[in-house]
């Protein structure tokens, strides 16, 4: 009997302790953020023990705790699946969250509700842990909805701002559309396989699985912001930067990809769904990379970069490489969280300035942030032997050598070069050149919280790729033998993107800004997708419903058809027919004269 | 014919003339209408009582009921006119509209 289960459960319970403490006076304490951060770091260290045990011995475990209920023939219980995916993801997520919590002790330092902020972050982390360690779909759904709700609460943290409320609502609505797919899959599994446990689903599934897999793909589209349900991710940048770093770069948005990875035994057998996934991911990665090229808000550029990398992960699932996609999830968490933290450092130092057209010359003023931003961007674009290389380059090579859709492969390569282009754009506008911000600012990055947290992620960005990819068990990643031009393809397009972007930026530096061309407007307004979807569809349905309910039923059928038409008809006909003039006295007088005359004549006649 | 009948008949003729010839107020025509009704009532009662037409004894009551209805109708028309014009001058009634 070893410590595998005990350590894992201890780590998970350790995370819930600060939440339980909120009813005591610890919650009102000034040191509560420090307690939360320490709890997270200790949970990370404890969870490294089972992770290393797993790497050494390959031992997986399913912990089935508590029998909740049995609904006719289906048994629901609380069970944790501690296999390859969750064992490696939990330490990575805890490490990144530890750094982000330390960062937000600096970033949200002047916020009066900082204790509540940390409580929300911790609750988000707990629900994410529930999601990745779930062994049945019901528990997964609990974690799924939990991360959605915490995302809503955290995006709308500054709820006095209208845009923040709109963005939070947008996140909930788009996620809900994806949840429909999830529930459809759950219902199909319940009806046909009578199971929500992953083991039973994988054993007994042997007929046409198109419908539930399509439902799962829809759920991943909603949660991971694929094309069609993507506008919520750039809008989610209304939340504070730690929220963007944790939720919308490393942890929550990979939940959709994680779901598809969990169901990879089912997806291996179904080429239709694989093609659909591949095309969806390819379109997403190209579209969001195009949109990222002309944005002016630094957080939005990084958000689109996240969306593009998520599309890349979905492409990887589409070429039937779930382990590579998972590797990319883990490595991507490091450098993307660090990119967000560096942009948070820049924003705070420039007194809440987020527009890159108003930054510049920070190369000498913020040396540490500059260093980490450059290393993060290089890791993102897949510079050889940094972290991103171990996953991203492998993905491109695998796609090059597999029997895949050539169009999807081509646009993935184009999106890779665009990654380099917009990374260069960030570096150029934010760091190089002369300062474009107002000089009445004191720029100071000398806070130990900030420096330590970014330093940890920096070490992770440089070394984690090597460490993780050399420690994991052998998986289905194919042997890499290919001709030279295919091997160098990713590197070549990346270098092409760098050089092109640098030359364009340097050339255009002193020129006057022309009126925007059509391509610029397409890219800047996110392909007109939010404009059309958020305005046209609701306006049409509201217009139709108003016309049919109010005009048709009320005005016409209840008012105009009988009552008003009768009144109108009567009035028209009476004015047509009557020709009297109303001379009453004359009529009466003539009546009297006639009567008198007739009576007198009658008198003399008889 | 005896003097009583001639007297009442004259009252009727007088009221009729009053209703047909009036200068400005609509109310005077309505009052004369009431006078006509009154004289008819008296004449009918006297005739029935003098000639012992027992079965026709309810006729005056019926006449009274119908006269009340007609008086109400006339008064409502007067009120409508007075609502629109403020007075009941007859020269206002030239528009064929309330």
């Amino acid at each position: 009997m070893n410590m595998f289960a005990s350590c894992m459960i201890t780590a998970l319970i350790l995370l819930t302790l600060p939440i339980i403490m909120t009813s005591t006076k610890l919650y009102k304490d000034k040191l509560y953020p420090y307690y939360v951060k320490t709890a997270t770091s200790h949970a990370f260290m404890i969870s490294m023990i089972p992770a290393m045990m797993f790497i050494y011995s390959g031992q997986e475990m399913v912990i089935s705790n508590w029998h909740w209920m049995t609904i006719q023939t289906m048994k629901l219980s609380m069970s944790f699946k501690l296999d390859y995916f969750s064992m490696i993801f939990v330490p990575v997520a805890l490490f990144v969250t530890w750094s982000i919590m330390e960062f937000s002790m600096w970033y949200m330092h002047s916020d009066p509700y900082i204790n509540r902020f940390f409580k929300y972050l911790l609750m988000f982390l707990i629900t994410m842990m529930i999601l990745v360690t779930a062994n049945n779909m019901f528990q997964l759904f609990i974690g799924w909805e939990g991360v959605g709700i915490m995302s809503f609460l955290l995006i709308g943290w500054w709820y006095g701002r209208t845009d923040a409320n709109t963005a939070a609502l947008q996140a909930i609505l788009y996620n809900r559309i994806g949840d429909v797919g999830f529930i459809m899959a759950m219902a199909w599994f319940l009806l046909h396989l009578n199971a929500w446990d992953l083991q039973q689903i994988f054993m007994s599934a042997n007929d046409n699985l198109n419908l539930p897999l399509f439902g799962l793909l829809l759920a991943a589209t909603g949660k991971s912001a694929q094309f069609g349900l993507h506008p919520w991710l750039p809008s989610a940048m209304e939340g504070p930067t730690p929220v963007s770093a944790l939720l919308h770069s490393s942890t929550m948005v990979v939940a959709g990809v994680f779901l598809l990875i969990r169901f990879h035994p089912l997806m291996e057998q179904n080429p239709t769904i694989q093609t659909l996934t591949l095309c969806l991911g390819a379109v997403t990665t190209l579209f969001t990379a195009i949109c990222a090229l002309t944005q002016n808000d630094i957080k939005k550029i990084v958000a689109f970069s996240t969306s593009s990398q998520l599309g890349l992960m979905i492409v990887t699932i589409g070429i039937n490489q779930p382990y590579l996609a998972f590797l990319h999830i883990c490595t991507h968490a490091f450098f993307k969280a660090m990119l967000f933290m560096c942009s948070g450092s820049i924003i705070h130092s420039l007194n809440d300035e987020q527009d890159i057209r108003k930054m510049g010359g920070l190369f000498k003023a913020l040396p540490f942030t500059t260093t980490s931003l450059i290393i993060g961007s290089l890791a993102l674009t897949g510079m050889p032997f940094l972290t991103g290389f171990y996953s991203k380059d492998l993905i491109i090579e695998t796609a090059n050598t597999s029997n895949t859709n050539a169009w999807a492969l081509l646009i993935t390569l184009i999106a890779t070069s665009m990654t380099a282009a917009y990374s260069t754009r960030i570096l150029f506008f934010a760091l190089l050149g002369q300062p474009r911000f107002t000089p009445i600012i004191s720029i100071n990055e000398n806070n130990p919280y900030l420096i330590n947290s970014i330093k940890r992620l920096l070490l992770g960005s440089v070394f984690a790729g090597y460490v993780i990819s050399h420690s994991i068990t052998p998986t289905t990643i194919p042997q890499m033998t290919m001709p030279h031009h295919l091997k160098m393809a990713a590197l070549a397009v990346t270098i092409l993107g760098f050089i092109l972007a640098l030359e364009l930026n340097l050339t255009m530096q002193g020129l006057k800004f022309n009126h925007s061309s059509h391509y610029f407007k397409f890219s800047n307004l996110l392909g007109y997708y939010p404009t059309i979807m958020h305005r046209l569809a609701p306006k049409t349905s509201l217009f139709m419903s108003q016309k049919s309910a109010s005009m048709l039923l009320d005005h016409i059928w209840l008012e105009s058809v009988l009552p008003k038409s009768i009144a109108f008809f009567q009035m028209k006909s009476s004015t047509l027919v009557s020709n009297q003039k109303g001379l009453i006295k004359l009529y009466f007088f003539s009546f009297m004269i006639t009567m008198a005359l007739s009576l007198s004549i009658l008198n003399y006649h008889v | 014919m005896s003097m009583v009948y001639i007297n009442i008949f004259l009252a009727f003729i007088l009221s009729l003339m009053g209703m047909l010839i009036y200068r400005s107020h609509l109310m005077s025509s309505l009052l004369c209408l009431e006078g006509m009704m009154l004289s008819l009532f008296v004449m009918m009662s006297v005739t029935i009582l003098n000639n012992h037409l027992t079965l026709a004894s309810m006729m005056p009551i019926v006449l009274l009921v119908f006269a009340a209805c007609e008086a109400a109708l006339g008064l409502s028309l007067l009120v409508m006119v007075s609502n629109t014009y403020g007075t009941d001058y007859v020269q206002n009634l030239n528009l064929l509209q309330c």
Side-chain angles (χ1 to χ4, degrees), chain A residues 400-419:
Chain A
N400 276 340
T401 55
S402 66
N403 183 16
T404 177
N405 194 337
W407 168 77
L409 172 66
L410 198 61
I411 62 181
T412 310
L413 282 178
I414 296 177
T416 311
S417 75
M418 286 186 181
T419 307

Side-chain angles (χ1 to χ4, degrees), chain B residues 18-19 22-33 88:
Chain B
M19 194 190 85
Y22 60 96
R23 265 191 64 182
S24 44
H25 285 279
L26 198 62
M27 186 60 132
S28 55
S29 139
L30 289 180
L31 281 171
C32 289
L33 209 57
D88 59 347

Side-chain angles (χ1 to χ4, degrees), chain A residues 180 255 293 322 394 407 423 481 515:
Chain A
V180 167
L293 285 178
L394 281 184
W407 168 77
S423 298
T481 57
H515 286 290

Side-chain angles (χ1 to χ4, degrees), chain A residues 114-170:
Chain A
I114 187 172
N115 289 347
R116 199 198 299 169
F117 186 76
F118 271 82
K119 183 171 82 158
Y120 285 173
L121 279 184
L122 196 59
M123 282 170 75
F124 167 78
L125 184 64
I126 292 172
T127 46
M128 189 70 202
M129 291 295 118
I130 293 176
L131 203 158
V132 301
T133 55
N135 194 21
N136 53 0
M137 290 192 76
F138 189 69
Q139 199 166 328
L140 217 158
F141 193 61
I142 293 177
W144 188 270
E145 291 295 301
V147 298
I149 293 176
M150 296 324 294
S151 167
F152 170 77
L153 289 174
L154 282 169
I155 295 176
W157 176 253
W158 290 312
Y159 51 79
R161 202 180 134 84
T162 317
D163 284 341
N165 288 333
T166 313
L169 211 56
Q170 212 174 333

Side-chain angles (χ1 to χ4, degrees), chain B residues 6-50:
Chain B
I6 292 177
N7 211 351
I8 299 176
F9 183 65
L10 262 178
F12 178 78
I13 293 295
L14 207 60
S15 293
L16 182 68
M17 301 279 278
M19 194 190 85
L20 294 179
I21 309 172
Y22 60 96
R23 265 191 64 182
S24 44
H25 285 279
L26 198 62
M27 186 60 132
S28 55
S29 139
L30 289 180
L31 281 171
C32 289
L33 209 57
E34 296 303 308
M36 278 165 64
M37 189 287 306
L38 183 64
S39 65
L40 273 177
F41 177 77
V42 170
M43 176 175 285
M44 201 182 285
S45 307
V46 164
T47 311
I48 291 174
L49 283 174
N50 273 346

Side-chain angles (χ1 to χ4, degrees), chain A residues 17-29:
Chain A
L17 275 180
I19 304 287
I20 299 174
M21 291 293 174
T22 53
S23 51
T24 66
K25 69 173 173 58
L26 180 66
Y27 188 49
K28 319 263 186 317
D29 202 352

Side-chain angles (χ1 to χ4, degrees), chain A residues 12 14 51 67 81 103-104 109 225 276 278 301 310 321-322 326 344 356 379 422 426 436 445 473 486 525 548:
Chain A
L12 289 179
L14 197 58
H67 174 206
K81 180 175 166 113
F103 171 76
S104 58
H109 163 256
L276 213 62
L278 179 68
I301 300 181
L310 287 172
Q321 296 292 332
F326 179 71
I356 56 174
Y422 59 69
I426 293 182
R436 287 185 295 276
E445 58 169 10
T473 56
L486 287 184
L525 292 175
S548 73

Side-chain angles (χ1 to χ4, degrees), chain A residues 586-597:
Chain A
L586 186 64
Y587 303 150
F588 274 169
F589 193 65
S590 64
F591 181 68
M592 191 198 72
I593 296 292
T594 315
M595 257 194 22
L597 218 54

